[in-house]
Amino acid sequence: MKKLTVDAWFPKPAAAAAPAPFRKIGVIGAGVMGSGIAQWCAARGYSVVMRDVQPEFVARGLAVIQGLFDEAAKRGKMTAAAAAQGVARVQGTTELAAFADCDLVVEAIVENVAAKQALFAELSQVVRADCVLASNTSALPIEELAATAIHPGRTIGIHFFNPVSRMPLIEMVLSPHTTRDTADRVLAFAKHLGKTPVICRSSPGFLVTRVLFFYLNAACALWEQGVPTDVIDRAMRDWGWPMGPMRLIDEVGVDVTDFIYGEMKHYFPARFAGTSVCGQMLAAGLKGRKNGASTGFYTYEGGKEALNPALASFAPAAAKTMDAAAIQDHLNGVMIAETQRVLDEGVLKTADDADFALLMGTGFPAFRGGLMRYARAHGRA
């Protein structure tokens, strides 16, 4: 993967030339993802301008960036002087005009097509003609988001994973309009950041979000049929996952999970049978562990993790008996089937690409050798 090029996706140019490097990066959105992206870019020497709509949002994002640099220095990842220099490379603003001299702008705003389209239209009036416009969306097709861009060839998806400082994967998402020059520049940028990119064709959910949330939804369906939370999670941990699917929903956020379930249902109405448990949890104020919340499928009070008794109010009346092997077989089968569809649709070039992305982006157990390698070895491909 370190030797990855875009050659499989574009005709080879007549004369090879090194892609023009990015020097100044714009980030729109000062939330968890935006501030994480801005900090990571600044730590690798880029000048960064980060924008949000309210000064207090910008200030909060800058405080997060300061904290990330402080933590890196505390853990010996960089010197205190280097951390101070990194902080100084980030400028906060509420003005789009600050992006006029950027080489790349990454948006990390709310996952809403209309909002992103409006932003791309505004940005197109501000940035230079050679500026690359990127979205950090985890699920929305790039060509939909960039439909309002003046230069659609210079639009692309750069899907960082949360937390940016710890997750090595980037899904680099090519729309039907993305040019080879744009892809070459973004690939060089991703490598300079020290990230490991996988190249995808734009499609709802790309690879990781699509496959992962089909898996999580299938786990919720088992829960709704009466299989207890701890039985599902223990089965998948025993198979090798670092945490079970219900525990992972708490970590991702019940609100995020429910939203993406809605997106998957929208784009795959014939196959994605939406579950209702996450919506019920939100209505009851159970949001998982996101943004300081501490109740979901589990409770986390006082640093202790325990099954949440509040779910009993809308759990099935009778528990369903299902052994670990059957749970593992079913949930792995859902992932294998969806990954095979992704490959059949040409969203990725090879099964190895899928295995690598799922290993680096979801915590898939490495000793299994990759999801599709496991499928082939067990006659399930």
Side-chain angles (χ1 to χ4, degrees), residues 62-121:
L62 291 173
V64 170
I65 290 169
Q66 178 73 63
L68 289 168
F69 274 113
D70 289 346
E71 181 65 20
K74 181 179 178 181
R75 296 175 60 191
K77 300 291 185 181
M78 61 175 58
T79 65
Q85 290 168 0
V87 171
R89 281 193 284 268
V90 183
Q91 169 196 352
T93 184
T94 58
E95 301 297 328
L96 279 180
F99 297 109
D101 60 345
C102 285
D103 303 300
L104 166 70
V105 178
V106 182
E107 68 82 11
I109 66 169
V110 63
E111 286 284 83
N112 178 278
V113 172
K116 291 178 187 289
Q117 287 179 339
L119 179 59
F120 272 102

Side-chain angles (χ1 to χ4, degrees), residues 205-340:
F206 319 135
L207 170 78
V208 172
T209 298
R210 176 170 164 182
V211 172
L212 183 63
F213 282 84
F214 266 82
Y215 160 72
L216 296 179
N217 188 60
C220 286
L222 291 182
W223 188 91
E224 291 181 352
Q225 293 163 23
V227 184
T229 298
D230 54 338
V231 173
I232 296 171
D233 279 356
R234 189 183 310 116
M236 299 316 290
R237 287 199 311 271
D238 288 349
W239 196 78
W241 286 87
M243 65 178 67
M246 320 314 281
R247 176 66 179 77
L248 181 57
I249 289 171
D250 280 1
E251 202 67 31
V252 170
V254 178
D255 56 343
V256 172
T257 301
D258 191 58
F259 172 80
I260 295 181
Y261 283 177
E263 292 299 304
M264 294 296 98
K265 181 66 175 175
H266 170 73
Y267 287 111
F268 306 105
R271 292 191 298 100
F272 194 90
T275 52
S276 62
V277 59
C278 288
Q280 291 177 293
M281 291 171 71
L282 284 179
L286 309 179
K287 299 180 180 180
R289 299 192 76 189
K290 184 170 178 279
N291 295 337
S294 60
T295 54
F297 284 98
Y298 298 85
T299 60
Y300 306 91
E301 299 296 338
K304 295 182 178 180
E305 186 175 313
L307 288 170
N308 189 354
L311 269 76
S313 62
F314 45 89
K320 177 179 178 179
T321 301
M322 191 173 187
D323 65 31
I327 294 170
Q328 294 160 359
D329 188 65
H330 175 65
L331 295 182
N332 286 327
V334 168
M335 294 190 78
I336 290 166
E338 201 56 37
T339 302
Q340 188 61 58

